[in-house]
Amino acid sequence: QLQADYAEKKKSHEKTRSDLSSTTNQLTKQNDDLNTRLQNTRDELISSQEQLTELKSQTATLQSTNQTLVQQRSQLKEEVSTLQYRIQMMTSEHQDQQKQKTKRITALETELTTEKNTANKLRNQLRELNIQLKEKVAERTDEVKRLQKEFDNAKEELLGKEEIIATAEMKLQDA
């Protein structure tokens, strides 16, 4: 009976040993799996840390770039403001110049109109004077013709009287 108990215990012990060995193998396998997973997780963690470091570096670079862009934007805004001011000044100057030119043109047009009116007035006066001159020339011509006619008549009369006197003188001398 002891032997049977011993055999049974041995058998139970061997089964337990076999179970223990199987469990040990399973645990070893699980441990190896867990170690592999742990190593993979560590590798992922290292990779993630490297990526995080790279992302932090990129973030710092982007922040620096952003800072530079913000400064450039500020400078550009100042330049735009300066250009807008210059444009306003130039526009104002241009408008002033245009007003001056418009005033000058208006003054010149007024002067030209005045000169045209004066020229027309002088032309009309000249026309009237020419008409008056023609009328006076016609009157003088008529008077000259009348006087010439009177002169010619007086001359003929004088010649006629001179002939009478000459004839009378000849008669007197003959007598």
Side-chain angles (χ1 to χ4, degrees):
Q1 176 123 49
L2 262 177
Q3 272 192 354
D5 273 342
Y6 178 73
E8 192 175 310
K9 290 245 183 211
K10 192 176 179 184
K11 197 177 186 187
S12 169
H13 180 62
E14 287 205 19
K15 185 175 183 215
T16 301
R17 190 183 262 184
S18 171
D19 285 345
L20 184 60
S21 177
S22 174
T23 301
T24 301
N25 284 339
Q26 280 181 346
L27 285 175
T28 301
K29 188 176 179 191
Q30 283 180 354
N31 190 34
D32 287 344
D33 285 347
L34 286 174
N35 279 335
T36 301
R37 283 175 58 193
L38 179 61
Q39 187 60 43
N40 288 343
T41 301
R42 281 183 187 153
D43 290 344
E44 286 177 17
L45 179 60
I46 290 170
S47 175
S48 293
Q49 286 175 337
E50 288 173 355
Q51 287 177 353
L52 180 60
T53 301
E54 188 177 327
L55 286 174
K56 283 181 181 179
S57 174
Q58 288 176 356
T59 299
T61 302
L62 287 174
Q63 285 175 341
S64 174
T65 302
N66 184 44
Q67 185 86 13
T68 302
L69 290 174
V70 166
Q71 289 173 348
Q72 288 176 347
R73 183 173 182 231
S74 177
Q75 289 173 346
L76 287 174
K77 279 185 175 181
E78 287 178 20
E79 288 177 20
V80 165
S81 177
T82 301
L83 288 173
Q84 286 175 336
Y85 176 75
R86 287 180 63 198
I87 288 171
Q88 286 175 343
M89 292 304 293
M90 290 174 74
T91 301
S92 176
E93 288 174 7
H94 179 71
Q95 288 173 345
D96 290 345
Q97 289 174 353
Q98 285 301 106
K99 286 177 185 176
Q100 292 293 334
K101 286 178 182 177
T102 301
K103 285 180 182 178
R104 181 74 176 132
I105 288 171
T106 302
L108 289 173
E109 286 174 344
T110 302
E111 190 176 322
L112 180 63
T113 301
T114 302
E115 286 181 13
K116 282 182 180 179
N117 290 340
T118 302
N120 286 337
K121 189 175 181 182
L122 290 173
R123 200 175 295 118
N124 287 337
Q125 287 176 352
L126 182 61
R127 194 175 301 120
E128 286 176 18
L129 288 173
N130 279 336
I131 291 171
Q132 289 175 3
L133 181 63
K134 285 179 183 177
E135 288 174 356
K136 287 193 181 204
V137 166
E139 285 175 12
R140 296 281 186 243
T141 304
D142 289 346
E143 190 175 337
V144 166
K145 285 179 183 176
R146 185 184 58 76
L147 289 173
Q148 185 69 40
K149 202 174 194 180
E150 281 180 23
F151 176 73
D152 289 344
N153 288 338
K155 191 176 174 184
E156 279 180 34
E157 192 178 312
L158 182 62
L159 284 173
K161 287 183 179 181
E162 281 180 359
E163 278 183 33
I164 292 175
I165 291 174
T167 309
E169 279 182 1
M170 277 196 206
K171 284 184 183 179
L172 277 177
Q173 282 181 355
D174 286 338

